[in-house]
Amino acid sequence: FTDYVELTFSATKLSDETNIAFVRLLEDGTKASVPHTVKDGMVTLKVHQGGTFTVAQQTKDFSDIQADGHAPYIEELTKRLIVQGKTDSTFEPNSTSTRAQFAAIIARALDLKHAGTTTFTDTKGKWFEQDVQALFETGIIKGTSPQTFAPNAAITRQQAALMMMRLVTYLNIDTNVNVAPATFTDFNKLSVEGKEAVVVLQKLGVFSGKEDGSFDPNGQLTRSQMAKIIYKVLELGELL
């Protein structure tokens, strides 16, 4: 785990802490997410690299998340430039995410940059190449084979749980939580590694099952569910 460098300063002059986020200004003039907390009148940026940082108001009013129970997570991650809508006015919370999209969002949230050459042949030259490689170098993701990542395949709930468990480990999050795990009706359909991950993530409040009592490991993760589990782990890791 590479420690973050923390930059702390007063936020008392900010007019409204709830509607702003701190972002990195890139050389081309665009903005990028940077991990940070705002607590007790103080802002703490957590960075792996130097740069120029500024305050930005990124609030989006998505018309299709008002009845979604995960709307607060979607709104906060959007404000921080971690997730994006499908359009300026819609998020499509019930749509699925690909493995590449999921990996890119995590890399963006962690402010990661790759160090080595691209490992997977099916990510070379794609918009997500650097994000997938950066996450692979941390050990948070694995390929579907030594040479391939299957970036365009929809990510399953079990695959997402495994990535989140590795992210928990990467962030040194305490997993010693005294909470009785839920009993999922299809628990035996999970892999050995998947069972271990789901038990821990359920105890931490990151992942939950479905209304019918199942976990549905091979089901596809929705964008709404994605926002919740990423938010929860970043919160536990004190990155937001």
Side-chain angles (χ1 to χ4, degrees):
F1 173 62
T2 302
D3 289 334
Y4 286 97
V5 174
E6 296 189 355
L7 308 173
T8 302
F9 50 91
S10 174
T12 56
K13 293 184 178 180
L14 296 177
S15 59
D16 185 357
E17 296 178 6
T18 61
N19 287 323
I20 57 92
F22 289 83
V23 297
R24 180 191 300 278
L25 290 178
L26 303 180
E27 292 182 358
D28 62 1
T30 59
K31 300 169 184 175
S33 173
V34 59
H36 65 277
T37 60
V38 183
K39 294 180 180 178
D40 301 323
M42 299 298 293
V43 177
T44 300
L45 305 184
K46 301 185 179 185
V47 299
H48 282 135
Q49 54 189 320
T52 302
F53 307 97
T54 188
V55 178
Q57 188 165 356
Q58 308 291 341
T59 304
K60 291 277 188 179
D61 293 321
F62 296 124
S63 61
D64 56 354
I65 66 169
Q66 302 310 312
D68 193 296
H70 301 152
Y73 308 132
I74 295 169
E75 291 168 347
E76 182 65 22
L77 295 183
T78 302
K79 181 181 74 175
R80 290 171 175 256
L81 302 183
I82 294 172
V83 301
Q84 300 172 341
K86 287 288 189 175
T87 70
D88 285 342
S89 60
T90 60
F91 186 76
E92 295 188 17
N94 296 319
S95 296
T96 59
S97 289
T98 66
R99 286 167 52 83
Q101 290 168 342
F102 192 71
I105 288 169
I106 299 172
R108 196 180 304 147
L110 298 180
D111 190 36
L112 290 179
K113 298 297 180 185
H114 73 98
T117 57
T118 299
T119 300
F120 303 117
T121 58
D122 55 359
T123 65
K124 289 183 178 179
K126 306 294 177 60
W127 66 266
F128 45 75
E129 176 183 0
Q130 295 183 9
D131 290 328
V132 170
Q133 181 61 28
L135 219 57
F136 174 73
E137 290 170 6
T138 67
I140 294 173
I141 62 172
K142 296 181 179 180
T144 51
S145 78
Q147 294 82 32
T148 60
F149 182 68
N152 297 319
I155 189 164
T156 68
R157 287 169 56 82
Q158 177 166 234
Q159 290 170 347
L162 291 172
M163 289 187 195
M164 289 294 97
M165 188 64 237
R166 298 184 198 114
L167 179 56
V168 165
T169 301
Y170 178 78
L171 295 176
N172 292 325
I173 293 171
D174 184 8
T175 59
N176 186 22
V177 181
N178 188 22
V179 178
T183 301
F184 299 113
T185 57
D186 55 354
F187 189 72
N188 288 331
K189 292 183 179 180
L190 289 156
S191 66
V192 172
E193 187 181 10
K195 289 176 181 177
E196 295 173 352
V198 167
V199 167
V200 172
L201 294 174
Q202 188 276 328
K203 285 185 176 182
L204 291 174
V206 174
F207 238 125
S208 56
K210 296 196 166 183
E211 292 183 358
D212 63 0
S214 69
F215 182 78
D216 192 18
N218 297 318
Q220 296 176 352
L221 188 77
T222 68
R223 283 168 52 81
S224 171
Q225 294 164 351
M226 170 197 69
K228 178 211 170 181
I229 64 175
I230 290 177
Y231 179 99
K232 288 291 187 180
V233 175
L234 295 178
E235 182 179 46
L236 289 168
E238 299 183 344
L239 295 183
L240 53 71

